[in-house]
Amino acid sequence: MPSSSLRALDALAAAAAVYLVKQLIDQWKERLPLPPGPPGVLLRLPFFGNMFNLPKHHEWIHYADWSREYKSDIVHFSVGREHVIVLNSAEAATDLFDKRSAIYSDRPWTTMSSELVGFGYWNIVFMPYSPQNPTLWRDHRRVFDRQMSPDGVKRFRPQETLAVHEMLRRLLAAPQDYADHARHMAGQTILSIAYGLDVKPTDDPYIKIGEIANDIVAATTVPGSWLVDALSFLKYVPAWFPGAGFKRQANEWRRVADAMLNEPFEITKAAMAQGTARDSVTALLLQELEDGPDRAYKERLIKGATAIMYGAGSDTTVVVIENFFLAMTLYPQVLARAQAEVDRVVAGQRLPDFDDQPSLPYITAILKELLRWQQVDTLAVPHKVTEDDVYRGYFIPRGSTIIGNAWAILHDEKTYPDPHTFKPERWLLPDGSLDPDAKDPTPFFGFGRRLCPGRHLATESMWLSLACIIATFSISKACDEDGNEITPEIVYNTALLSHPAPFPTVVLPRSRGHEASIRDL
């Protein structure tokens, strides 16, 4: 037999052997158990899975409880035919999201949020890897990362400082509206940086669009919250059909999402054509573009990146500041120590600024503890695994949604003793300096390759806000009609971004001198 024929037979035999080995491995994997979890319901209709017995609120706590009940830090449930795996420990999250990031970094495509509302087409937070354009997500991320590096965000400090000082003036005028002032500050910062836009003192339309868009994200991204996510064929039901309220709602929400994506971008683009545009990320990136066949594609990348700055960068800062007022109301000794620290540095002669950060480690520790104590994003944004996998003897099917329970990880008593108590000291050494070995609350910003690229800008804005409020205002418990102090309850809403429920507190300038320093800004 000719040698060429022998080589062909050898190649065929090798291919057959590889195929058989793969089949045996696949069969072995499929015989392995899924991670433990609650049983499904409606046994006569097994394709519903756990759809009707999932927790309706505070899912992160229920998922952590399942770990204790089933004695496993990874648990499983199903929504329709889709598998969902929840990781309730830092070890499991690191093993899968970091060490196996090559297959655990995709995003699930949900019919309601990704498709009908449209976030999956341009929002890099929710964008899956695209088989049609494998570089689409990476191209978006590259544009974002160029602007949001640790050193790169420092050029935005003047805008951040102006917005924080404006928040102090607004807080002086109406201290009970601190959440609204935080939202205005965050919106002013982001709109100025991303688009070079000024905002109105009240009822700014673009701040409102961003707020509504974040509410839409929260309403559409919780697994099991929309039947159309499990039964995707329902997307073809006409909006006028009885029972198709989800379709009408999606159409309304998509208009808001499109407005957030397009309107500020087009305003900046028009201002550039007229020569009146202010410095901004959008203007800078558009100026760098060269004409060519890929210009429209690159504009799309810029538009998506700046819209993410606009949307994701605002609400997170608001929730952290809300949590700060709650923590200072509940833990007055923390505020007193922070004020003593800032007074030693600025001596009441000026407001703290970014240059003071190395001299204010306790305020930095307060921020770290805020990110740990009550997370903005308790469950992070879900990932999707792109290949069948085996972990600790459990089978994880390709296409499963993988949720990192940031709340459970950051409330692990082994890593954070007494986790429900607000303790900035856990981030410090005995001499009061920051502990370089303390495990930072990075799950607050997501996991693995999907770690939030805007985290450096967000933490800078948060830090300056806290430092300036601590320097100038007192925060204390309110009293009832009989003069008894009211201790706020710690109650949070259920959403992708979890806000504390309104609570009573008293916010006043620390002295007439501090009040005057704010008025003189």
Side-chain angles (χ1 to χ4, degrees):
M1 182 178 291
S3 60
S4 60
S5 299
L6 289 173
R7 287 196 296 271
L9 285 174
D10 289 343
L12 182 61
V18 170
Y19 174 78
L20 289 173
V21 170
K22 183 179 185 302
Q23 290 294 104
L24 290 171
I25 291 173
D26 289 344
Q27 290 175 15
W28 168 72
K29 287 179 179 179
E30 291 174 2
R31 290 194 186 102
L32 294 173
L34 293 163
V41 295
L42 293 179
L43 297 180
R44 294 181 182 177
L45 298 172
F47 54 82
F48 280 110
N50 298 98
M51 188 184 305
F52 298 104
N53 66 337
L54 291 178
K56 302 301 181 185
H57 57 82
H58 299 90
E59 297 89 350
W60 52 94
I61 296 175
H62 290 278
Y63 297 161
D65 289 342
W66 286 350
S67 275
R68 287 184 283 271
E69 180 179 353
Y70 298 105
K71 297 179 174 57
S72 172
D73 57 351
I74 56 174
V75 294
H76 166 271
F77 62 89
S78 60
V79 179
R81 297 181 182 275
E82 302 297 322
H83 296 282
V84 181
I85 312 290
V86 182
L87 311 179
N88 284 318
S89 72
E91 180 183 7
T94 299
D95 285 347
L96 299 187
F97 291 139
D98 291 334
K99 297 179 181 179
R100 304 186 191 182
S101 61
I103 63 171
Y104 279 90
S105 298
D106 204 358
R107 292 291 197 210
W109 181 267
T110 58
T111 305
M112 187 66 174
S113 179
S114 302
E115 185 170 353
L116 296 181
V117 179
F119 286 128
Y121 296 110
W122 59 267
N123 188 319
I124 61 169
V125 175
F126 304 104
M127 183 185 294
Y129 297 145
S130 169
Q132 293 75 31
N133 185 354
T135 67
L136 181 62
W137 176 84
R138 191 179 298 111
D139 290 344
H140 275 89
R141 180 72 182 234
R142 189 180 295 114
V143 171
F144 205 108
D145 285 346
R146 281 183 57 202
Q147 305 301 318
M148 294 291 122
S149 68
D151 289 331
V153 299
K154 292 179 180 178
R155 71 186 189 278
F156 303 134
R157 286 179 171 180
Q159 294 99 312
E160 293 174 90
T161 301
L162 285 173
V164 169
H165 289 178
E166 173 63 20
M167 179 182 65
L168 296 179
R169 288 190 288 267
R170 296 166 69 87
L171 193 59
L172 185 63
Q176 71 279 4
D177 297 328
Y178 58 86
D180 291 338
H181 305 329
R183 183 168 290 105
H184 189 277
M185 180 274 296
Q188 178 180 344
T189 302
I190 293 299
L191 288 166
S192 173
I193 291 171
Y195 303 107
L197 299 180
D198 290 325
V199 298
K200 296 180 179 180
T202 58
D203 299 323
D204 183 85
Y206 297 111
I207 291 178
K208 189 64 177 177
I209 287 173
E211 181 182 356
I212 296 172
N214 283 322
D215 289 342
I216 294 169
V217 168
T220 58
T221 53
V222 177
S225 58
W226 296 93
L227 186 61
V228 70
D229 286 338
L231 306 176
S232 60
F233 63 84
L234 292 176
K235 68 185 179 183
Y236 299 111
V237 173
W240 53 262
F241 196 80
F246 74 92
K247 195 76 174 286
R248 296 187 289 275
Q249 183 67 79
N251 291 338
E252 179 181 337
W253 283 345
R254 184 158 190 150
R255 284 191 289 271
V256 176
D258 288 347
M260 184 176 74
L261 173 66
N262 294 306
E263 290 186 13
F265 180 84
E266 294 299 333
I267 289 174
T268 303
K269 195 174 176 182
M272 290 179 67
Q274 298 169 4
T276 59
R278 298 169 57 184
D279 289 339
S280 69
V281 171
T282 298
L284 174 64
L285 293 176
L286 287 175
Q287 287 168 359
E288 293 177 350
L289 283 188
E290 297 179 359
D291 290 333
D294 61 348
R295 182 181 176 91
Y297 176 72
K298 290 182 177 179
E299 279 201 15
R300 174 186 172 188
L301 299 179
I302 295 169
K303 187 189 298 187
T306 51
I308 292 305
M309 292 176 61
Y310 173 24
S314 55
D315 216 31
T316 51
T317 301
V318 175
V319 181
V320 168
I321 293 176
E322 290 175 337
N323 288 339
F324 166 74
F325 279 96
L326 177 60
M328 296 305 99
T329 302
L330 293 170
Y331 297 92
Q333 74 279 7
V334 172
L335 180 61
R337 178 172 172 178
Q339 289 176 333
E341 178 183 76
V342 76
D343 287 348
R344 286 195 297 272
V345 173
V346 303
Q349 301 301 308
R350 59 179 177 84
L351 292 179
D353 57 34
F354 287 110
D355 291 338
D356 297 315
Q357 192 164 2
S359 303
L360 299 172
Y362 193 68
I363 292 177
T364 300
I366 288 175
L367 176 56
K368 289 177 180 287
E369 183 69 346
L370 285 169
L371 299 181
R372 185 209 66 82
W373 180 60
Q374 300 291 343
Q375 290 81 60
V376 176
D377 189 357
T378 50
L379 293 174
V381 180
H383 291 223
K384 186 178 81 170
V385 62
T386 55
E387 295 180 11
D388 287 343
D389 196 22
V390 176
Y391 181 61
R392 298 185 190 168
Y394 294 121
F395 177 51
I396 299 179
R398 180 182 64 180
S400 297
T401 294
I402 314 295
I403 295 175
N405 189 344
W407 184 90
I409 292 169
L410 294 173
H411 286 77
D412 184 343
E413 294 183 356
K414 297 176 183 177
T415 306
Y416 307 102
D418 193 13
H420 300 287
T421 301
F422 188 84
K423 291 183 176 180
E425 293 77 13
R426 69 175 84 242
W427 307 99
L428 301 173
L429 295 170
D431 65 359
S433 62
L434 289 169
D435 183 354
D437 296 324
K439 192 172 180 61
D440 272 1
T442 50
F444 174 92
F445 293 107
F447 300 94
R449 294 181 183 179
R450 292 288 188 153
L451 193 65
C452 174
R455 62 193 182 278
H456 306 298
L457 178 63
T459 52
E460 282 214 343
S461 183
M462 294 170 189
W463 185 89
L464 186 64
S465 297
L466 303 189
C468 287
I469 294 171
I470 287 168
T472 53
F473 285 92
S474 67
I475 303 167
S476 58
K477 293 179 180 178
C479 294
D480 61 20
E481 295 178 353
D482 298 323
N484 300 312
E485 286 188 339
I486 303 171
T487 299
E489 295 184 30
I490 301 177
V491 178
Y492 281 77
N493 69 334
T494 298
L496 182 69
L497 301 177
S498 190
H499 292 259
F503 57 90
T505 187
V506 176
V507 181
L508 296 170
R510 293 177 64 191
S511 69
R512 290 184 178 178
H514 289 99
E515 180 179 350
S517 67
I518 295 172
R519 296 189 186 281
D520 291 341
L521 290 173

